[in-house]
Amino acid sequence: MSSVIKTTTPFISKDLLCEALDTMDIHYTIKQDNIITELEDYYGLQMFVYSPELGRYQYQHDSSANGRFNPYPWGMDVNKWGTVSNFLQVVDTEYQNAYKRLEEKKLKEEEERKRKYIEAQKLKIIAKAESKGYSVKETRQGDKTRLVLVRTHY
Amino acid sequence: MPEERITIDIDDEGRITAKTSGFYGTACMDALIELLDKDDVPMVIKPTDDYYQNQKNTVNNIIRQKGGKL
């Protein structure tokens, strides 16, 4: 008999994990490094517990809530998630989506910073050039801004 | 009438390439340095052969920035 086991993405970032839970409309409270969900099992509320040794969050739950009893009789919202594994698969997907959104946001911010820097740099050069008697012509050449400065001595 | 010309290209990464013509000797470098803030940004300066000529003829030089400083 064979089996395939696939683990979730390591949940390293609290912010991303919380964003994933927000997207899934899971309510939670944060106590120190733990993210306590509204999902309940035989032992109480299930939670993401941060493990400094592993450097990531682990989901703490009753192991019997992972398919041993179906439906699970002690509180977990079986209709929506079925098992802990199913729940974690959705968290995994939303965590990765949150990560992608963060990357896109960072990239956009970086592009915007770069664009502002280049614009300021260009304006500085134009101002200096004009103060030194150059005439300035600006054009766009592919991915470049071209400034042609010309000064004629009479 | 002698004409001094500087062509400056700023790419989307903030790198600058500057070419000069119509300057005498090292005057082109002075003009570029004045415009590009040598103290602020690291630059690679590649004088062309003409740069070393003392005659009053056209020289071409290129200043290329290593990268945008953000």
mmCIF file of all heavy atoms in Angstrom, chain A residues 110 114 117-118 121-122 124-125 128-129 132 134 140 143-154, chain B residues 1-14 16 23 31 34-37 40 65 69-70:
data_model
loop_
_atom_site.group_PDB
_atom_site.id
_atom_site.type_symbol
_atom_site.label_atom_id
_atom_site.label_comp_id
_atom_site.label_asym_id
_atom_site.label_seq_id
_atom_site.Cartn_x
_atom_site.Cartn_y
_atom_site.Cartn_z
ATOM 1 N N GLU A 110 7.814 49.724 -5.717
ATOM 2 C CA GLU A 110 9.186 49.875 -6.195
ATOM 3 C C GLU A 110 9.204 50.608 -7.544
ATOM 4 O O GLU A 110 10.022 51.494 -7.772
ATOM 5 C CB GLU A 110 9.831 48.491 -6.344
ATOM 6 C CG GLU A 110 11.273 48.485 -6.799
ATOM 7 C CD GLU A 110 12.215 49.165 -5.815
ATOM 8 O OE1 GLU A 110 11.867 49.262 -4.624
ATOM 9 O OE2 GLU A 110 13.268 49.651 -6.255
ATOM 10 N N LYS A 114 10.811 54.239 -8.315
ATOM 11 C CA LYS A 114 11.777 54.387 -9.403
ATOM 12 C C LYS A 114 11.333 55.488 -10.370
ATOM 13 O O LYS A 114 12.115 56.325 -10.778
ATOM 14 C CB LYS A 114 11.897 53.045 -10.136
ATOM 15 C CG LYS A 114 13.229 52.839 -10.800
ATOM 16 C CD LYS A 114 13.257 51.571 -11.581
ATOM 17 C CE LYS A 114 13.316 50.322 -10.765
ATOM 18 N NZ LYS A 114 13.305 49.105 -11.562
ATOM 19 N N TYR A 117 11.853 58.846 -8.845
ATOM 20 C CA TYR A 117 13.286 59.166 -8.797
ATOM 21 C C TYR A 117 13.771 59.629 -10.166
ATOM 22 O O TYR A 117 14.474 60.633 -10.292
ATOM 23 C CB TYR A 117 14.078 57.936 -8.353
ATOM 24 C CG TYR A 117 15.568 58.106 -8.512
ATOM 25 C CD1 TYR A 117 16.301 58.846 -7.591
ATOM 26 C CD2 TYR A 117 16.239 57.547 -9.590
ATOM 27 C CE1 TYR A 117 17.661 59.024 -7.750
ATOM 28 C CE2 TYR A 117 17.596 57.715 -9.760
ATOM 29 C CZ TYR A 117 18.301 58.451 -8.833
ATOM 30 O OH TYR A 117 19.640 58.629 -8.997
ATOM 31 N N ILE A 118 13.388 58.877 -11.212
ATOM 32 C CA ILE A 118 13.834 59.210 -12.571
ATOM 33 C C ILE A 118 13.290 60.582 -12.990
ATOM 34 O O ILE A 118 14.005 61.389 -13.577
ATOM 35 C CB ILE A 118 13.392 58.107 -13.565
ATOM 36 C CG1 ILE A 118 14.176 56.826 -13.275
ATOM 37 C CG2 ILE A 118 13.602 58.547 -15.006
ATOM 38 C CD1 ILE A 118 13.642 55.600 -13.982
ATOM 39 N N GLN A 121 15.228 63.209 -11.204
ATOM 40 C CA GLN A 121 16.583 63.268 -11.760
ATOM 41 C C GLN A 121 16.560 64.052 -13.090
ATOM 42 O O GLN A 121 17.403 64.903 -13.341
ATOM 43 C CB GLN A 121 17.049 61.840 -12.001
ATOM 44 C CG GLN A 121 18.526 61.688 -12.172
ATOM 45 C CD GLN A 121 18.873 60.229 -12.394
ATOM 46 O OE1 GLN A 121 18.072 59.470 -12.935
ATOM 47 N NE2 GLN A 121 20.044 59.840 -11.983
ATOM 48 N N LYS A 122 15.562 63.744 -13.898
ATOM 49 C CA LYS A 122 15.424 64.398 -15.204
ATOM 50 C C LYS A 122 15.202 65.899 -15.026
ATOM 51 O O LYS A 122 15.868 66.717 -15.666
ATOM 52 C CB LYS A 122 14.234 63.776 -15.942
ATOM 53 C CG LYS A 122 14.043 64.264 -17.350
ATOM 54 C CD LYS A 122 12.751 63.757 -17.931
ATOM 55 C CE LYS A 122 11.589 64.588 -17.429
ATOM 56 N NZ LYS A 122 10.290 64.124 -17.892
ATOM 57 N N LYS A 124 15.988 67.742 -12.547
ATOM 58 C CA LYS A 124 17.194 68.369 -11.990
ATOM 59 C C LYS A 124 18.192 68.663 -13.110
ATOM 60 O O LYS A 124 18.779 69.744 -13.161
ATOM 61 C CB LYS A 124 17.808 67.429 -10.945
ATOM 62 C CG LYS A 124 18.730 68.124 -9.974
ATOM 63 C CD LYS A 124 18.962 67.295 -8.733
ATOM 64 C CE LYS A 124 19.936 66.172 -8.977
ATOM 65 N NZ LYS A 124 20.215 65.384 -7.786
ATOM 66 N N ILE A 125 18.367 67.691 -13.983
ATOM 67 C CA ILE A 125 19.303 67.876 -15.102
ATOM 68 C C ILE A 125 18.822 69.008 -16.013
ATOM 69 O O ILE A 125 19.610 69.874 -16.418
ATOM 70 C CB ILE A 125 19.447 66.560 -15.906
ATOM 71 C CG1 ILE A 125 20.183 65.516 -15.077
ATOM 72 C CG2 ILE A 125 20.193 66.799 -17.222
ATOM 73 C CD1 ILE A 125 20.180 64.112 -15.677
ATOM 74 N N LYS A 128 19.416 72.392 -14.349
ATOM 75 C CA LYS A 128 20.847 72.746 -14.357
ATOM 76 C C LYS A 128 21.280 73.152 -15.753
ATOM 77 O O LYS A 128 22.015 74.124 -15.926
ATOM 78 C CB LYS A 128 21.684 71.543 -13.905
ATOM 79 C CG LYS A 128 21.840 71.450 -12.412
ATOM 80 C CD LYS A 128 22.832 70.354 -12.106
ATOM 81 C CE LYS A 128 22.942 70.113 -10.638
ATOM 82 N NZ LYS A 128 23.840 68.994 -10.347
ATOM 83 N N ALA A 129 20.833 72.364 -16.732
ATOM 84 C CA ALA A 129 21.231 72.632 -18.118
ATOM 85 C C ALA A 129 20.743 74.007 -18.554
ATOM 86 O O ALA A 129 21.496 74.790 -19.153
ATOM 87 C CB ALA A 129 20.676 71.545 -19.033
ATOM 88 N N LYS A 132 22.654 76.847 -17.287
ATOM 89 C CA LYS A 132 23.978 76.986 -17.889
ATOM 90 C C LYS A 132 23.885 77.340 -19.375
ATOM 91 O O LYS A 132 24.864 77.223 -20.105
ATOM 92 C CB LYS A 132 24.783 75.710 -17.686
ATOM 93 C CG LYS A 132 25.115 75.518 -16.214
ATOM 94 C CD LYS A 132 25.950 74.333 -15.935
ATOM 95 C CE LYS A 132 26.099 74.162 -14.425
ATOM 96 N NZ LYS A 132 26.594 75.361 -13.738
ATOM 97 N N TYR A 134 21.959 75.969 -21.862
ATOM 98 C CA TYR A 134 21.630 74.960 -22.874
ATOM 99 C C TYR A 134 20.152 75.078 -23.234
ATOM 100 O O TYR A 134 19.317 75.376 -22.364
ATOM 101 C CB TYR A 134 21.854 73.544 -22.342
ATOM 102 C CG TYR A 134 23.291 73.163 -22.120
ATOM 103 C CD1 TYR A 134 23.883 73.325 -20.867
ATOM 104 C CD2 TYR A 134 24.052 72.604 -23.143
ATOM 105 C CE1 TYR A 134 25.196 72.974 -20.640
ATOM 106 C CE2 TYR A 134 25.375 72.237 -22.920
ATOM 107 C CZ TYR A 134 25.939 72.426 -21.671
ATOM 108 O OH TYR A 134 27.237 72.061 -21.450
ATOM 109 N N ARG A 140 11.143 60.652 -26.142
ATOM 110 C CA ARG A 140 11.088 59.291 -25.611
ATOM 111 C C ARG A 140 11.616 58.343 -26.682
ATOM 112 O O ARG A 140 11.132 58.364 -27.823
ATOM 113 C CB ARG A 140 9.629 58.972 -25.259
ATOM 114 C CG ARG A 140 9.426 57.680 -24.533
ATOM 115 C CD ARG A 140 9.800 57.762 -23.081
ATOM 116 N NE ARG A 140 9.734 56.424 -22.499
ATOM 117 C CZ ARG A 140 10.330 56.071 -21.391
ATOM 118 N NH1 ARG A 140 11.031 56.932 -20.705
ATOM 119 N NH2 ARG A 140 10.243 54.852 -20.937
ATOM 120 N N ASP A 143 12.552 52.529 -24.278
ATOM 121 C CA ASP A 143 12.421 52.549 -22.827
ATOM 122 C C ASP A 143 13.269 53.645 -22.188
ATOM 123 O O ASP A 143 13.522 53.628 -20.990
ATOM 124 C CB ASP A 143 12.795 51.170 -22.249
ATOM 125 C CG ASP A 143 14.265 50.844 -22.444
ATOM 126 O OD1 ASP A 143 14.895 51.503 -23.312
ATOM 127 O OD2 ASP A 143 14.781 49.955 -21.747
ATOM 128 N N LYS A 144 13.717 54.577 -23.004
ATOM 129 C CA LYS A 144 14.588 55.639 -22.483
ATOM 130 C C LYS A 144 13.983 57.015 -22.707
ATOM 131 O O LYS A 144 13.290 57.246 -23.696
ATOM 132 C CB LYS A 144 15.940 55.609 -23.190
ATOM 133 C CG LYS A 144 16.771 54.405 -22.889
ATOM 134 C CD LYS A 144 18.012 54.401 -23.750
ATOM 135 C CE LYS A 144 18.793 53.113 -23.520
ATOM 136 N NZ LYS A 144 19.876 52.966 -24.495
ATOM 137 N N THR A 145 14.315 57.909 -21.782
ATOM 138 C CA THR A 145 14.008 59.321 -21.986
ATOM 139 C C THR A 145 15.288 59.972 -22.484
ATOM 140 O O THR A 145 16.348 59.794 -21.875
ATOM 141 C CB THR A 145 13.583 59.981 -20.659
ATOM 142 O OG1 THR A 145 12.390 59.347 -20.219
ATOM 143 C CG2 THR A 145 13.332 61.466 -20.840
ATOM 144 N N ARG A 146 15.198 60.657 -23.587
ATOM 145 C CA ARG A 146 16.400 61.298 -24.144
ATOM 146 C C ARG A 146 16.304 62.805 -23.999
ATOM 147 O O ARG A 146 15.289 63.415 -24.359
ATOM 148 C CB ARG A 146 16.578 60.923 -25.613
ATOM 149 C CG ARG A 146 17.699 61.698 -26.296
ATOM 150 C CD ARG A 146 18.101 61.079 -27.593
ATOM 151 N NE ARG A 146 18.825 59.832 -27.358
ATOM 152 C CZ ARG A 146 19.283 59.039 -28.331
ATOM 153 N NH1 ARG A 146 19.071 59.380 -29.598
ATOM 154 N NH2 ARG A 146 19.937 57.944 -28.055
ATOM 155 N N LEU A 147 17.378 63.366 -23.447
ATOM 156 C CA LEU A 147 17.473 64.826 -23.340
ATOM 157 C C LEU A 147 18.612 65.265 -24.248
ATOM 158 O O LEU A 147 19.740 64.775 -24.116
ATOM 159 C CB LEU A 147 17.788 65.256 -21.904
ATOM 160 C CG LEU A 147 16.790 64.836 -20.820
ATOM 161 C CD1 LEU A 147 17.324 65.233 -19.436
ATOM 162 C CD2 LEU A 147 15.433 65.475 -21.054
ATOM 163 N N VAL A 148 18.324 66.144 -25.155
ATOM 164 C CA VAL A 148 19.388 66.687 -26.024
ATOM 165 C C VAL A 148 19.609 68.140 -25.609
ATOM 166 O O VAL A 148 18.697 68.963 -25.685
ATOM 167 C CB VAL A 148 19.016 66.585 -27.519
ATOM 168 C CG1 VAL A 148 20.137 67.184 -28.365
ATOM 169 C CG2 VAL A 148 18.766 65.144 -27.898
ATOM 170 N N LEU A 149 20.806 68.396 -25.120
ATOM 171 C CA LEU A 149 21.150 69.735 -24.638
ATOM 172 C C LEU A 149 22.079 70.381 -25.638
ATOM 173 O O LEU A 149 23.103 69.799 -26.014
ATOM 174 C CB LEU A 149 21.844 69.662 -23.271
ATOM 175 C CG LEU A 149 21.322 68.628 -22.261
ATOM 176 C CD1 LEU A 149 22.156 68.666 -20.992
ATOM 177 C CD2 LEU A 149 19.871 68.902 -21.936
ATOM 178 N N VAL A 150 21.737 71.552 -26.073
ATOM 179 C CA VAL A 150 22.571 72.230 -27.076
ATOM 180 C C VAL A 150 22.861 73.655 -26.608
ATOM 181 O O VAL A 150 21.971 74.358 -26.130
ATOM 182 C CB VAL A 150 21.842 72.273 -28.452
ATOM 183 C CG1 VAL A 150 22.700 73.010 -29.477
ATOM 184 C CG2 VAL A 150 21.524 70.865 -28.932
ATOM 185 N N ARG A 151 24.141 74.007 -26.745
ATOM 186 C CA ARG A 151 24.549 75.372 -26.383
ATOM 187 C C ARG A 151 25.444 75.888 -27.509
ATOM 188 O O ARG A 151 26.398 75.208 -27.901
ATOM 189 C CB ARG A 151 25.309 75.348 -25.047
ATOM 190 C CG ARG A 151 25.653 76.712 -24.512
ATOM 191 C CD ARG A 151 26.086 76.649 -23.072
ATOM 192 N NE ARG A 151 27.286 75.828 -22.896
ATOM 193 C CZ ARG A 151 27.860 75.586 -21.720
ATOM 194 N NH1 ARG A 151 27.324 76.069 -20.610
ATOM 195 N NH2 ARG A 151 28.930 74.848 -21.630
ATOM 196 N N THR A 152 25.117 77.027 -28.010
ATOM 197 C CA THR A 152 25.889 77.590 -29.130
ATOM 198 C C THR A 152 26.677 78.803 -28.643
ATOM 199 O O THR A 152 26.138 79.650 -27.928
ATOM 200 C CB THR A 152 24.949 78.011 -30.276
ATOM 201 O OG1 THR A 152 24.114 76.902 -30.605
ATOM 202 C CG2 THR A 152 25.746 78.410 -31.514
ATOM 203 N N HIS A 153 27.961 78.838 -29.017
ATOM 204 C CA HIS A 153 28.795 80.006 -28.662
ATOM 205 C C HIS A 153 28.872 80.947 -29.855
ATOM 206 O O HIS A 153 29.186 80.519 -30.963
ATOM 207 C CB HIS A 153 30.203 79.538 -28.299
ATOM 208 C CG HIS A 153 30.221 78.756 -27.021
ATOM 209 N ND1 HIS A 153 30.144 79.348 -25.779
ATOM 210 C CD2 HIS A 153 30.266 77.425 -26.792
ATOM 211 C CE1 HIS A 153 30.166 78.410 -24.849
ATOM 212 N NE2 HIS A 153 30.233 77.213 -25.439
ATOM 213 N N TYR A 154 28.568 82.199 -29.628
ATOM 214 C CA TYR A 154 28.601 83.182 -30.715
ATOM 215 C C TYR A 154 29.891 83.986 -30.669
ATOM 216 O O TYR A 154 30.459 84.186 -29.634
ATOM 217 C CB TYR A 154 27.391 84.121 -30.633
ATOM 218 C CG TYR A 154 26.090 83.367 -30.839
ATOM 219 C CD1 TYR A 154 25.329 82.956 -29.734
ATOM 220 C CD2 TYR A 154 25.631 83.057 -32.104
ATOM 221 C CE1 TYR A 154 24.151 82.267 -29.904
ATOM 222 C CE2 TYR A 154 24.442 82.364 -32.283
ATOM 223 C CZ TYR A 154 23.709 81.988 -31.180
ATOM 224 O OH TYR A 154 22.542 81.290 -31.363
ATOM 225 N N MET B 1 29.474 78.816 -36.119
ATOM 226 C CA MET B 1 29.328 78.964 -34.664
ATOM 227 C C MET B 1 29.485 77.603 -33.997
ATOM 228 O O MET B 1 28.758 76.672 -34.350
ATOM 229 C CB MET B 1 27.940 79.525 -34.347
ATOM 230 C CG MET B 1 27.798 80.992 -34.655
ATOM 231 S SD MET B 1 26.118 81.545 -34.391
ATOM 232 C CE MET B 1 25.275 80.784 -35.765
ATOM 233 N N PRO B 2 30.430 77.471 -33.063
ATOM 234 C CA PRO B 2 30.615 76.164 -32.411
ATOM 235 C C PRO B 2 29.410 75.818 -31.540
ATOM 236 O O PRO B 2 28.879 76.656 -30.828
ATOM 237 C CB PRO B 2 31.871 76.366 -31.562
ATOM 238 C CG PRO B 2 31.999 77.830 -31.392
ATOM 239 C CD PRO B 2 31.339 78.489 -32.549
ATOM 240 N N GLU B 3 29.039 74.549 -31.638
ATOM 241 C CA GLU B 3 27.862 74.092 -30.890
ATOM 242 C C GLU B 3 28.275 72.964 -29.944
ATOM 243 O O GLU B 3 28.901 71.999 -30.365
ATOM 244 C CB GLU B 3 26.822 73.581 -31.881
ATOM 245 C CG GLU B 3 25.523 73.162 -31.220
ATOM 246 C CD GLU B 3 24.572 72.529 -32.224
ATOM 247 O OE1 GLU B 3 24.715 71.328 -32.498
ATOM 248 O OE2 GLU B 3 23.695 73.256 -32.732
ATOM 249 N N GLU B 4 27.948 73.121 -28.685
ATOM 250 C CA GLU B 4 28.199 72.049 -27.709
ATOM 251 C C GLU B 4 26.902 71.268 -27.536
ATOM 252 O O GLU B 4 25.848 71.856 -27.299
ATOM 253 C CB GLU B 4 28.626 72.646 -26.367
ATOM 254 C CG GLU B 4 29.968 73.356 -26.425
ATOM 255 C CD GLU B 4 30.276 74.121 -25.158
ATOM 256 O OE1 GLU B 4 29.372 74.342 -24.342
ATOM 257 O OE2 GLU B 4 31.445 74.519 -24.989
ATOM 258 N N ARG B 5 27.051 69.967 -27.665
ATOM 259 C CA ARG B 5 25.842 69.136 -27.609
ATOM 260 C C ARG B 5 26.043 68.003 -26.599
ATOM 261 O O ARG B 5 27.080 67.316 -26.616
ATOM 262 C CB ARG B 5 25.554 68.562 -28.991
ATOM 263 C CG ARG B 5 24.339 67.646 -29.057
ATOM 264 C CD ARG B 5 24.153 67.126 -30.469
ATOM 265 N NE ARG B 5 23.662 68.184 -31.341
ATOM 266 C CZ ARG B 5 22.380 68.331 -31.680
ATOM 267 N NH1 ARG B 5 21.484 67.478 -31.257
ATOM 268 N NH2 ARG B 5 22.004 69.309 -32.477
ATOM 269 N N ILE B 6 25.070 67.818 -25.759
ATOM 270 C CA ILE B 6 25.086 66.690 -24.805
ATOM 271 C C ILE B 6 23.787 65.911 -24.983
ATOM 272 O O ILE B 6 22.702 66.493 -24.911
ATOM 273 C CB ILE B 6 25.191 67.174 -23.340
ATOM 274 C CG1 ILE B 6 26.468 68.008 -23.140
ATOM 275 C CG2 ILE B 6 25.184 65.991 -22.374
ATOM 276 C CD1 ILE B 6 26.585 68.623 -21.754
ATOM 277 N N THR B 7 23.939 64.632 -25.226
ATOM 278 C CA THR B 7 22.749 63.779 -25.337
ATOM 279 C C THR B 7 22.715 62.866 -24.122
ATOM 280 O O THR B 7 23.656 62.109 -23.881
ATOM 281 C CB THR B 7 22.795 62.937 -26.628
ATOM 282 O OG1 THR B 7 22.933 63.839 -27.735
ATOM 283 C CG2 THR B 7 21.532 62.117 -26.793
ATOM 284 N N ILE B 8 21.653 62.987 -23.366
ATOM 285 C CA ILE B 8 21.525 62.198 -22.126
ATOM 286 C C ILE B 8 20.349 61.235 -22.262
ATOM 287 O O ILE B 8 19.228 61.659 -22.522
ATOM 288 C CB ILE B 8 21.297 63.125 -20.911
ATOM 289 C CG1 ILE B 8 22.532 64.024 -20.703
ATOM 290 C CG2 ILE B 8 21.011 62.321 -19.646
ATOM 291 C CD1 ILE B 8 22.342 65.090 -19.642
ATOM 292 N N ASP B 9 20.632 59.955 -22.091
ATOM 293 C CA ASP B 9 19.566 58.945 -22.090
ATOM 294 C C ASP B 9 19.368 58.442 -20.667
ATOM 295 O O ASP B 9 20.324 58.017 -20.015
ATOM 296 C CB ASP B 9 19.941 57.759 -22.992
ATOM 297 C CG ASP B 9 19.849 58.111 -24.464
ATOM 298 O OD1 ASP B 9 19.047 59.011 -24.798
ATOM 299 O OD2 ASP B 9 20.582 57.521 -25.275
ATOM 300 N N ILE B 10 18.137 58.494 -20.196
ATOM 301 C CA ILE B 10 17.810 57.930 -18.876
ATOM 302 C C ILE B 10 16.888 56.736 -19.130
ATOM 303 O O ILE B 10 15.790 56.905 -19.664
ATOM 304 C CB ILE B 10 17.079 58.952 -17.982
ATOM 305 C CG1 ILE B 10 17.864 60.275 -17.920
ATOM 306 C CG2 ILE B 10 16.873 58.393 -16.582
ATOM 307 C CD1 ILE B 10 17.124 61.393 -17.198
ATOM 308 N N ASP B 11 17.355 55.542 -18.767
ATOM 309 C CA ASP B 11 16.504 54.374 -19.032
ATOM 310 C C ASP B 11 15.517 54.141 -17.879
ATOM 311 O O ASP B 11 15.560 54.856 -16.867
ATOM 312 C CB ASP B 11 17.332 53.125 -19.355
ATOM 313 C CG ASP B 11 18.065 52.557 -18.156
ATOM 314 O OD1 ASP B 11 17.736 52.916 -17.009
ATOM 315 O OD2 ASP B 11 18.986 51.744 -18.357
ATOM 316 N N ASP B 12 14.654 53.163 -18.042
ATOM 317 C CA ASP B 12 13.589 52.949 -17.056
ATOM 318 C C ASP B 12 14.109 52.444 -15.712
ATOM 319 O O ASP B 12 13.357 52.355 -14.747
ATOM 320 C CB ASP B 12 12.540 51.977 -17.607
ATOM 321 C CG ASP B 12 11.631 52.674 -18.601
ATOM 322 O OD1 ASP B 12 11.676 53.920 -18.667
ATOM 323 O OD2 ASP B 12 10.888 51.990 -19.332
ATOM 324 N N GLU B 13 15.378 52.071 -15.657
ATOM 325 C CA GLU B 13 15.980 51.667 -14.380
ATOM 326 C C GLU B 13 16.678 52.834 -13.705
ATOM 327 O O GLU B 13 17.251 52.685 -12.625
ATOM 328 C CB GLU B 13 16.994 50.532 -14.607
ATOM 329 C CG GLU B 13 16.387 49.245 -15.150
ATOM 330 C CD GLU B 13 15.329 48.679 -14.225
ATOM 331 O OE1 GLU B 13 15.544 48.658 -13.010
ATOM 332 O OE2 GLU B 13 14.267 48.269 -14.725
ATOM 333 N N GLY B 14 16.689 53.984 -14.372
ATOM 334 C CA GLY B 14 17.332 55.166 -13.798
ATOM 335 C C GLY B 14 18.790 55.309 -14.188
ATOM 336 O O GLY B 14 19.484 56.189 -13.699
ATOM 337 N N ILE B 16 21.901 56.292 -16.515
ATOM 338 C CA ILE B 16 22.109 57.408 -17.440
ATOM 339 C C ILE B 16 23.280 57.103 -18.353
ATOM 340 O O ILE B 16 24.319 56.617 -17.914
ATOM 341 C CB ILE B 16 22.410 58.701 -16.648
ATOM 342 C CG1 ILE B 16 21.135 59.209 -15.974
ATOM 343 C CG2 ILE B 16 22.991 59.785 -17.556
ATOM 344 C CD1 ILE B 16 21.343 60.435 -15.122
ATOM 345 N N PHE B 23 32.900 69.822 -27.623
ATOM 346 C CA PHE B 23 33.668 70.407 -26.523
ATOM 347 C C PHE B 23 35.156 70.320 -26.828
ATOM 348 O O PHE B 23 35.587 69.483 -27.630
ATOM 349 C CB PHE B 23 33.379 69.665 -25.216
ATOM 350 C CG PHE B 23 32.000 69.922 -24.669
ATOM 351 C CD1 PHE B 23 30.914 69.195 -25.132
ATOM 352 C CD2 PHE B 23 31.789 70.893 -23.704
ATOM 353 C CE1 PHE B 23 29.642 69.425 -24.642
ATOM 354 C CE2 PHE B 23 30.513 71.126 -23.202
ATOM 355 C CZ PHE B 23 29.436 70.393 -23.680
ATOM 356 N N ALA B 31 31.543 69.655 -18.058
ATOM 357 C CA ALA B 31 30.132 69.949 -18.349
ATOM 358 C C ALA B 31 29.232 68.811 -17.868
ATOM 359 O O ALA B 31 28.179 69.052 -17.262
ATOM 360 C CB ALA B 31 29.953 70.157 -19.847
ATOM 361 N N GLU B 34 29.074 68.639 -14.038
ATOM 362 C CA GLU B 34 28.202 69.705 -13.528
ATOM 363 C C GLU B 34 26.729 69.313 -13.609
ATOM 364 O O GLU B 34 25.944 69.583 -12.713
ATOM 365 C CB GLU B 34 28.389 70.980 -14.363
ATOM 366 C CG GLU B 34 29.532 71.830 -13.915
ATOM 367 C CD GLU B 34 29.647 73.074 -14.780
ATOM 368 O OE1 GLU B 34 29.051 73.125 -15.867
ATOM 369 O OE2 GLU B 34 30.367 73.988 -14.353
ATOM 370 N N LEU B 35 26.408 68.657 -14.683
ATOM 371 C CA LEU B 35 25.000 68.312 -14.898
ATOM 372 C C LEU B 35 24.553 67.071 -14.138
ATOM 373 O O LEU B 35 23.406 66.944 -13.739
ATOM 374 C CB LEU B 35 24.736 68.074 -16.394
ATOM 375 C CG LEU B 35 24.807 69.303 -17.297
ATOM 376 C CD1 LEU B 35 24.760 68.876 -18.754
ATOM 377 C CD2 LEU B 35 23.659 70.248 -16.991
ATOM 378 N N LEU B 36 25.466 66.122 -13.941
ATOM 379 C CA LEU B 36 25.058 64.810 -13.435
ATOM 380 C C LEU B 36 25.376 64.543 -11.966
ATOM 381 O O LEU B 36 25.174 63.452 -11.493
ATOM 382 C CB LEU B 36 25.696 63.705 -14.284
ATOM 383 C CG LEU B 36 25.304 63.678 -15.745
ATOM 384 C CD1 LEU B 36 25.985 62.527 -16.460
ATOM 385 C CD2 LEU B 36 23.801 63.562 -15.911
ATOM 386 N N ASP B 37 25.866 65.524 -11.261
ATOM 387 C CA ASP B 37 26.147 65.308 -9.843
ATOM 388 C C ASP B 37 27.063 64.119 -9.610
ATOM 389 O O ASP B 37 26.639 63.086 -9.107
ATOM 390 C CB ASP B 37 24.856 65.093 -9.057
ATOM 391 C CG ASP B 37 24.226 66.414 -8.684
ATOM 392 O OD1 ASP B 37 24.927 67.437 -8.794
ATOM 393 O OD2 ASP B 37 23.059 66.409 -8.290
ATOM 394 N N ASP B 40 26.996 62.369 -6.234
ATOM 395 C CA ASP B 40 25.817 61.626 -5.787
ATOM 396 C C ASP B 40 25.746 60.213 -6.336
ATOM 397 O O ASP B 40 25.242 59.322 -5.695
ATOM 398 C CB ASP B 40 24.545 62.356 -6.239
ATOM 399 C CG ASP B 40 24.302 63.584 -5.390
ATOM 400 O OD1 ASP B 40 24.977 63.710 -4.362
ATOM 401 O OD2 ASP B 40 23.462 64.402 -5.779
ATOM 402 N N GLN B 65 26.135 55.742 -16.116
ATOM 403 C CA GLN B 65 25.886 55.454 -14.711
ATOM 404 C C GLN B 65 25.821 53.960 -14.504
ATOM 405 O O GLN B 65 25.342 53.233 -15.355
ATOM 406 C CB GLN B 65 24.544 56.041 -14.291
ATOM 407 C CG GLN B 65 24.650 57.336 -13.578
ATOM 408 C CD GLN B 65 23.307 57.702 -12.981
ATOM 409 O OE1 GLN B 65 22.282 57.251 -13.441
ATOM 410 N NE2 GLN B 65 23.355 58.515 -11.976
ATOM 411 N N LYS B 69 20.142 55.323 -8.373
ATOM 412 C CA LYS B 69 20.306 55.319 -6.925
ATOM 413 C C LYS B 69 18.987 55.719 -6.308
ATOM 414 O O LYS B 69 18.529 56.833 -6.489
ATOM 415 C CB LYS B 69 21.383 56.322 -6.554
ATOM 416 C CG LYS B 69 21.717 56.365 -5.077
ATOM 417 C CD LYS B 69 22.717 57.450 -4.826
ATOM 418 C CE LYS B 69 22.995 57.621 -3.346
ATOM 419 N NZ LYS B 69 23.827 58.779 -3.083
ATOM 420 N N LEU B 70 18.334 54.753 -5.615
ATOM 421 C CA LEU B 70 17.008 55.027 -5.067
ATOM 422 C C LEU B 70 17.060 55.104 -3.568
ATOM 423 O O LEU B 70 17.903 54.529 -2.942
ATOM 424 C CB LEU B 70 16.030 53.927 -5.510
ATOM 425 C CG LEU B 70 15.858 53.785 -7.011
ATOM 426 C CD1 LEU B 70 14.931 52.628 -7.306
ATOM 427 C CD2 LEU B 70 15.295 55.040 -7.636
#
